[in-house]
Amino acid sequence: MIPSRFYPVDAKLFTWECTSSFDESPSMKELRDSFEKEFPKMCERLMKSGGLYRLLHLVSFNSTEGRRSRYLVVVLENPLPSVRKRVLPRQVAVLAAADRSLREQASAEGNSGNFLCYAAGEKILDVLIFFEGRLCHWTEYALVEMSPECIESKLRLFRRFLKNDALFSRGESFAEIQVAPVLPGDSKRAARDPFWKRIDLRRESLEPQRKGNWKRLVALLILVVACWKVFLPMLCLKSSHPLRDVLPVELDAPPAWSESAEVEPVAETPLRNTAAKVARCVLPDFKLKGVVAAKLIVAEVEGVSSVVLLGDSLGSFRLHSIGRDGVDLVCGDSLVRWGVFHARF
């Protein structure tokens, strides 16, 4: 279990996009070089103040220009605090509040998991865009005043952005949702969210560090095998109790066999087709296009997108659980794991 305790810090969030060739996956060093060339003044200011930035991957998709990847940029103007807890931006609570607002929607039909969520508070407007159930964009705006007119002007810019964007223009419609106010428990829930649970801003590389763990595991196995080879012969030599033969087990005599003079006819019973009474587990061919708030999924069956809630059926299977990257379906004692379909981005 990943601990939910973390240390919140003040940070700025925005979305950055880079383009590469279709068969290329840029390394983190290449991404940082490209980012620092695009934002030289900001990176120079962070270097002088002891601050930093982190790139968190949101989504990748193909376009006519090449392979596009979008990252959530977390900017810390001040040095990291000296704490042993995970360090996360204070805005993680906004994502938990948006998730709760999505789950409170009466119906998600008609938009295929596409949402434009906005949260206004303390002269900051957070805009989160979910495309097919997945967080794909996050931008913060500093507002001059917290008036409905000022908020509406920013939302008009985003509506035009959704129509012209290479990814979001593929969606037929986006439901606009005002995020509910942040609750005291939202920060802890957000720290356990699949997007944030492996993030620690103290680490420059946000990939799980498994190389050192494998080395320690191999060293431990070698030590166990060496100890086994050394101490096993010693334990055998120290055995001072001679082994004694075990007395043979006395078996009961088998019952006497006698042949009956008359053979009773055996009634023929018709064979029953037991397979006809066993329900077959049939799973239709579908594409999992996205998940929303671990409560519903967007599935495409025979080219038609539909929303399936937790507990609903797909063929003979029932939707058992929903994760960030896939779902579990059950039918009797059969369990099927189905991953999210990305190739249509």
Side-chain angles (χ1 to χ4, degrees):
M1 178 179 179
I2 299 175
S4 61
R5 295 183 60 189
F6 72 98
Y7 189 90
V9 294
D10 294 326
K12 297 178 181 178
L13 305 180
F14 66 93
T15 302
W16 173 68
E17 179 183 282
C18 69
T19 304
S20 61
S21 60
F22 292 104
D23 56 349
E24 178 186 1
S25 180
S27 64
M28 182 55 66
K29 183 181 182 305
E30 294 172 335
L31 289 173
R32 293 180 67 89
D33 292 342
S34 178
F35 180 83
E36 292 172 4
K37 289 180 181 179
E38 190 169 345
F39 301 94
K41 293 183 179 180
M42 185 190 73
C43 295
E44 183 179 357
R45 185 180 71 252
L46 294 177
M47 184 178 299
K48 292 180 179 179
S49 65
L52 54 88
Y53 69 90
R54 296 289 185 256
L55 302 176
L56 313 181
H57 181 260
L58 289 174
V59 66
S60 296
F61 60 97
N62 292 331
S63 66
T64 55
E65 295 81 6
R67 183 72 172 171
R68 294 191 182 186
S69 299
R70 292 180 178 175
Y71 295 84
L72 177 63
V73 184
V74 182
V75 179
L76 276 69
E77 298 286 351
N78 301 316
L80 283 169
S82 299
V83 294
R84 300 187 63 180
K85 299 178 182 179
R86 282 197 302 148
V87 177
L88 293 177
R90 200 178 303 275
Q91 295 93 322
V92 297
V94 178
L95 181 60
D99 177 80
R100 188 176 66 256
S101 301
L102 292 178
R103 286 188 280 108
E104 291 174 353
Q105 296 301 307
S107 175
E109 294 287 348
N111 65 327
S112 301
N114 302 332
F115 297 94
L116 189 156
C117 303
Y118 61 96
E122 298 182 2
K123 294 187 177 180
I124 295 294
L125 178 66
D126 287 277
V127 179
L128 292 77
I129 300 178
F130 294 84
F131 182 71
E132 295 183 348
R134 179 175 181 175
L135 177 65
C136 296
H137 189 95
W138 191 329
T139 297
E140 289 183 337
Y141 283 111
L143 300 179
V144 179
E145 56 179 352
M146 293 298 296
S147 63
E149 294 79 10
C150 187
I151 295 175
E152 179 63 23
S153 65
K154 298 297 183 183
L155 293 179
R156 283 198 296 268
L157 294 176
F158 262 92
R159 295 186 189 109
R160 290 198 296 267
F161 167 67
L162 293 176
K163 294 180 180 179
N164 300 325
D165 182 69
L167 175 63
F168 300 139
S169 60
R170 304 174 187 180
E172 295 182 0
S173 63
F174 282 80
E176 295 187 11
I177 297 176
Q178 183 174 5
V179 177
V182 173
L183 299 179
D186 284 340
S187 295
K188 292 183 178 180
R189 282 191 290 270
R192 296 190 295 265
D193 183 84
F195 182 77
W196 292 112
K197 67 180 181 179
R198 297 190 182 278
I199 302 301
D200 187 350
L201 299 181
R202 297 176 301 174
R203 292 191 288 116
E204 181 175 358
S205 176
L206 301 177
E207 296 296 327
Q209 298 178 349
R210 301 176 179 176
K211 187 175 182 180
N213 294 336
W214 276 109
K215 289 183 177 179
R216 287 192 290 270
L217 179 60
V218 172
L220 179 60
L221 290 176
I222 294 175
L223 179 61
V224 170
V225 173
C227 293
W228 180 261
K229 290 184 177 181
V230 171
F231 289 106
L232 181 60
M234 297 175 62
L235 292 175
C236 294
L237 291 175
K238 288 184 178 181
S239 178
S240 58
H241 299 284
L243 298 176
R244 292 180 294 182
D245 293 336
V246 180
L247 295 177
V249 180
E250 294 183 0
L251 301 177
D252 295 335
W257 177 82
S258 60
E259 184 176 357
S260 175
E262 298 180 359
V263 179
E264 296 181 0
V266 180
E268 295 184 359
T269 57
L271 297 177
R272 292 177 296 176
N273 187 7
T274 58
K277 295 186 177 182
V278 179
R280 295 183 59 192
C281 294
V282 178
L283 182 63
D285 185 16
F286 74 97
K287 297 175 182 177
L288 181 57
K289 303 181 68 178
V291 299
V292 178
K295 293 295 182 183
L296 57 91
I297 66 173
V298 179
E300 180 180 320
V301 182
E302 296 181 355
V304 179
S305 295
S306 61
V307 174
V308 183
L309 300 176
L310 197 64
D312 289 352
S313 298
L314 275 171
S316 303
F317 283 77
R318 179 175 56 86
L319 183 58
H320 178 65
S321 63
I322 303 175
R324 177 178 174 81
D325 299 320
V327 299
D328 293 329
L329 302 106
V330 296
C331 175
D333 58 354
S334 299
L335 175 65
V336 174
R337 178 70 177 176
W338 204 272
V340 178
F341 177 71
H342 297 292
R344 292 297 182 88
F345 283 164

